[in-house]
Amino acid sequence: MKKLINDPADVVREALLGMQAAHGDRLRVDHSNRVVFRADAPRRGKVGLVSGGGSGHEPMHGGFVGPGMLDAACAGEVFTSPVPDQMLAATLGVDGGAGVLHVVKNYTGDVMNFEMAAELAAENGVEVVSVVTDDDVAVQDSLYTAGRRGVGVTVLLEKIAGAAAEEGRPLAEVADIARRVDGQGRSMGMALTSCTVPAAGRPTFELGENEIEVGIGIHGEPGRERRPLAPAREVAAMLVEPVLADLPAADGAPVIAFLNGMGGTPLIELYIMYAEVQQLLEKAGVPVARSLVGNYITSLEMAGCSVTLLRADDELVRLWDAPVSTPGLRWGM
Amino acid sequence: MKKLINDPADVVREALLGMQAAHGDRLRVDHSNRVVFRADAPRRGKVGLVSGGGSGHEPMHGGFVGPGMLDAACAGEVFTSPVPDQMLAATLGVDGGAGVLHVVKNYTGDVMNFEMAAELAAENGVEVVSVVTDDDVAVQDSLYTAGRRGVGVTVLLEKIAGAAAEEGRPLAEVADIARRVDGQGRSMGMALTSCTVPAAGRPTFELGENEIEVGIGIHGEPGRERRPLAPAREVAAMLVEPVLADLPAADGAPVIAFLNGMGGTPLIELYIMYAEVQQLLEKAGVPVARSLVGNYITSLEMAGCSVTLLRADDELVRLWDAPVSTPGLRWGM
């Protein structure tokens, strides 16, 4: 295992030290709870947005904390759900009196722990609504999930619901918008290589020299099938076709097209893939309103990519365009 | 070779198609010349900033084109200098009557070709000043370079000189600022793995399972030495110490600290490295004014990182903070 780490047991703690060092001007890290907060949390009267999950998907979620997106993110061990106490600390820490939205990716541990945290928060007088993302069309049930896995849509949802919260909209509306994003978004990913969880010290799975895994999960969970290595244009079709087949028509609204890197694939390849994705969408008659290309929801150093398409009406596009200032996504401020 | 590409011969052309598809709202790609332009170039009365070099270092340079940074970037084949005709097309295309600054990394081919382009531009009545970056303290001469290689400082220079040009300052002043950045900045990098140039189809060099290359160049050129794999805190010291030893005192100005990923190393590791770098700077009594952590000047899918320190007086920090809107660096607009 070749990694730029110290002790494998310290990876998450030390990465949070690095986040604090790099972004201490606008983030505050609660190291005992492993929660990344907006420096100015809680914001009086604003709905708080809390997410979190296993580490190893950076910049998600800690890198999406900041004005216009999340108020706090809980960091679990690599590929392991945070515990309810972390989520409770995050929830209480961001509550500004308008309630808190939990953004939860659909993995059994995360869902269970966020539910428990929401109950504890309610006991503390904080209203919590949870929205669970389940946008991965690859498989119905999976290694850590009953139902579909939550993947790339989570990034878009955190941005769009974050903008709605920043506008001062009430919890029910912010939650509605978040549910709309999950309902209108679909994703699928693939891997060229495995990743290695530091504490395990060896690759999560093995792929042959000429094999790819289509429909891979963001923790290396098995996908739909193994296929021979193929050109970018064929790989793009393997991802775009199932996503389009499952994508709600939503009155023919255009899409936000998100081509995500899994962590180990260089940007030059992501652009090649995006060119293919855009051509496929053009052929299918799907207009692209906005796009995002880069490493946003990763699986450590896994090589590969995923495609997320979100049917975005005018309101969702407007919220997407709203200013945001986080380490991972930043524009307009 | 496992890559998300089609024909290895088409990598650069297709990546530029992807950039156009993703960023066509604010970039214009001249596909015949392989130049990425600001959509609104040329800007009347503004000094034009042109850079470029071999591809494979994305987001540099095309991803740094936009308001507040470059006006155009020329894309060579992977790890191969663009030709003078490309640089000439870029220079003529951005000239708004105030002259053009060429930002050139110190590699023999780039320097020679940019010189020729500057002469051709002069014949066309466009004043050009060139600034060559040579910030890599690892080795004095190298595989493709007489003198020190130009690496991470190039990113900081393009941002800072770009801000000066955006303010409407004259060519001589923008060039002075650019030279100041190169003069006050130093870098050093390391690799955990090689990269594979698509046209070559095999790794540029071999590293053992427990070996790292310290002082690596961004094209895989040999560094100072091979050493056994070491913890992040030791790797940080291997990079920070030689950089600090060579860094001008510059009246004790604080530094902009830039921890760059080589492309294949995930963000979680870059944050761990940055925590170590910041501790070393603290111990050395070097205050950090600003920081940047992420993949900005890469070597395809190479795993590893580099450290760049720039002594930045108030003016350079102010220019660093100025609004910028490019695919690779964006804030304030």
Side-chain angles (χ1 to χ4, degrees):
Chain A
M1 174 175 63
K2 278 182 133 174
K3 287 179 186 285
L4 291 170
I5 62 172
N6 294 303
D7 188 327
D10 292 333
V11 160
V12 175
R13 186 180 65 81
E14 293 182 349
L16 289 174
L17 288 172
M19 284 207 74
Q20 173 83 58
H23 310 296
D25 51 332
R26 49 223 184 95
L27 300 181
R28 177 169 48 83
V29 180
D30 170 351
H31 291 283
S32 65
N33 284 304
R34 298 197 179 169
V35 178
V36 177
F37 284 102
R38 261 177 81 154
D40 59 357
R43 302 275 292 176
R44 195 78 232 145
K46 185 183 108 49
V47 169
L49 253 73
V50 170
S51 191
S55 294
H57 306 301
E58 291 69 23
M60 189 182 77
H61 295 276
F64 298 142
V65 173
M69 213 161 165
L70 298 177
D71 294 271
C74 313
E77 285 301 317
V78 172
F79 295 174
T80 303
S81 173
V83 296
D85 278 357
Q86 292 176 268
M87 298 158 176
L88 179 63
T91 305
L92 299 180
V94 308
D95 176 49
V100 175
L101 183 75
H102 282 179
V103 179
V104 186
K105 301 192 301 305
N106 190 33
Y107 300 96
T108 307
D110 295 78
V111 170
M112 203 173 64
N113 290 343
F114 266 110
E115 266 175 22
M116 202 174 301
E119 285 167 24
L120 294 169
E123 288 169 18
N124 282 270
V126 178
E127 188 187 3
V128 173
V129 176
S130 292
V131 171
V132 177
T133 61
D134 58 350
D135 53 304
D136 189 341
V137 303
V139 291
Q140 189 49 39
D141 297 297
S142 183
L143 205 51
Y144 310 113
T145 313
R148 287 177 166 183
R149 301 175 296 221
V151 288
V153 148
T154 318
V155 177
L156 307 183
L157 186 156
E158 291 178 358
K159 168 67 186 78
I160 289 170
E166 205 70 40
E167 284 183 350
R169 292 162 80 166
L171 181 56
E173 282 185 30
V174 176
D176 272 352
I177 285 167
R179 276 185 217 104
R180 188 138 56 94
V181 172
D182 185 59
Q184 295 180 188
R186 298 291 188 275
S187 302
M188 186 149 141
M190 58 79 58
L192 293 164
T193 65
S194 178
C195 53
T196 295
V197 175
R202 54 189 174 70
T204 304
F205 60 97
E206 295 291 343
L207 268 179
E209 257 314 291
N210 287 302
E211 258 184 341
I212 59 176
E213 175 93 21
V214 180
I216 191 83
I218 55 170
H219 314 93
E221 307 97 306
R224 283 191 178 184
E225 53 179 342
R226 297 214 164 167
R227 298 185 62 155
L229 184 59
R233 72 177 57 89
E234 290 175 29
V235 173
M238 290 174 209
L239 302 181
V240 170
E241 283 166 12
V243 167
L244 274 182
D246 208 84
L247 193 69
D251 294 331
V255 298
I256 296 178
F258 170 27
L259 193 284
N260 173 63
M262 291 295 191
T265 287
L267 197 51
I268 191 170
E269 296 179 34
L270 299 183
Y271 278 122
I272 291 172
M273 283 298 300
Y274 185 70
E276 299 297 342
V277 167
Q278 216 224 21
Q279 274 188 44
L280 291 165
L281 294 177
E282 217 164 278
K283 267 185 216 159
V286 177
V288 177
R290 297 290 184 274
S291 66
L292 181 68
V293 178
N295 294 297
Y296 294 98
I297 167 171
T298 62
S299 303
L300 297 169
E301 74 282 18
M302 186 189 281
C305 70
S306 62
V307 171
T308 296
L309 299 178
L310 168 64
R311 287 280 185 194
D313 52 42
D314 288 351
E315 183 184 33
L316 297 189
V317 172
R318 187 181 61 73
L319 292 168
W320 175 256
D321 287 343
V324 61
S325 180
T326 72
L329 271 189
R330 193 168 172 188
W331 56 71
M333 61 166 107
Chain B
M1 175 174 64
K2 279 183 132 173
K3 288 180 185 285
L4 292 171
I5 62 174
N6 294 302
D7 189 326
D10 292 334
V11 161
V12 174
R13 185 179 67 79
E14 292 182 348
L16 289 173
L17 288 172
M19 283 206 73
Q20 174 82 59
H23 310 297
D25 52 333
R26 47 224 184 96
L27 300 181
R28 176 168 48 83
V29 180
D30 170 352
H31 290 284
S32 63
N33 284 303
R34 298 197 179 169
V35 179
V36 178
F37 284 102
R38 260 177 80 155
D40 60 356
R43 301 275 292 175
R44 197 75 233 146
K46 184 182 107 51
V47 169
L49 254 73
V50 170
S51 192
S55 294
H57 306 301
E58 290 69 24
M60 190 182 78
H61 296 273
F64 298 143
V65 173
M69 215 162 165
L70 299 178
D71 294 272
C74 312
E77 286 299 318
V78 172
F79 295 174
T80 303
S81 174
V83 296
D85 278 358
Q86 292 176 269
M87 297 157 175
L88 179 64
T91 305
L92 298 180
V94 309
D95 176 49
V100 175
L101 183 76
H102 283 179
V103 179
V104 187
K105 301 192 301 304
N106 190 33
Y107 300 95
T108 308
D110 295 79
V111 170
M112 205 173 62
N113 291 344
F114 265 110
E115 267 174 21
M116 201 173 301
E119 284 168 25
L120 295 168
E123 288 170 18
N124 281 271
V126 178
E127 188 187 4
V128 173
V129 175
S130 293
V131 172
V132 177
T133 59
D134 59 349
D135 53 304
D136 189 342
V137 302
V139 290
Q140 189 48 39
D141 297 299
S142 182
L143 206 50
Y144 310 112
T145 314
R148 286 176 167 182
R149 300 175 296 222
V151 287
V153 148
T154 317
V155 178
L156 307 183
L157 186 157
E158 291 177 358
K159 168 66 187 80
I160 289 170
E166 204 72 40
E167 284 182 351
R169 291 161 82 166
L171 181 56
E173 281 185 31
V174 175
D176 272 352
I177 285 167
R179 277 187 215 102
R180 190 137 57 92
V181 172
D182 184 59
Q184 295 179 185
R186 298 290 187 277
S187 301
M188 188 150 143
M190 59 78 61
L192 293 165
T193 66
S194 178
C195 53
T196 295
V197 175
R202 55 190 172 70
T204 304
F205 60 98
E206 296 291 342
L207 268 179
E209 257 312 291
N210 286 301
E211 258 184 342
I212 60 176
E213 175 93 23
V214 180
I216 192 82
I218 56 171
H219 313 94
E221 308 97 303
R224 284 191 177 184
E225 53 178 344
R226 299 214 163 167
R227 298 184 61 156
L229 184 59
R233 70 176 59 88
E234 290 175 28
V235 173
M238 290 174 209
L239 302 181
V240 170
E241 282 167 12
V243 167
L244 274 183
D246 207 83
L247 193 70
D251 295 332
V255 298
I256 296 178
F258 170 27
L259 193 284
N260 173 64
M262 290 295 190
T265 286
L267 197 51
I268 191 171
E269 295 180 33
L270 299 183
Y271 278 122
I272 291 172
M273 282 298 300
Y274 185 70
E276 299 296 342
V277 167
Q278 214 223 25
Q279 274 188 43
L280 290 166
L281 294 177
E282 216 164 280
K283 268 187 212 156
V286 177
V288 177
R290 297 292 183 274
S291 66
L292 182 67
V293 178
N295 294 298
Y296 294 98
I297 167 170
T298 62
S299 303
L300 297 169
E301 75 281 19
M302 186 189 281
C305 70
S306 61
V307 171
T308 297
L309 300 179
L310 167 65
R311 286 279 186 195
D313 52 41
D314 289 351
E315 184 185 31
L316 297 189
V317 172
R318 186 181 60 74
L319 292 167
W320 175 257
D321 286 344
V324 61
S325 179
T326 72
L329 270 189
R330 192 168 173 189
W331 55 72
M333 62 167 102

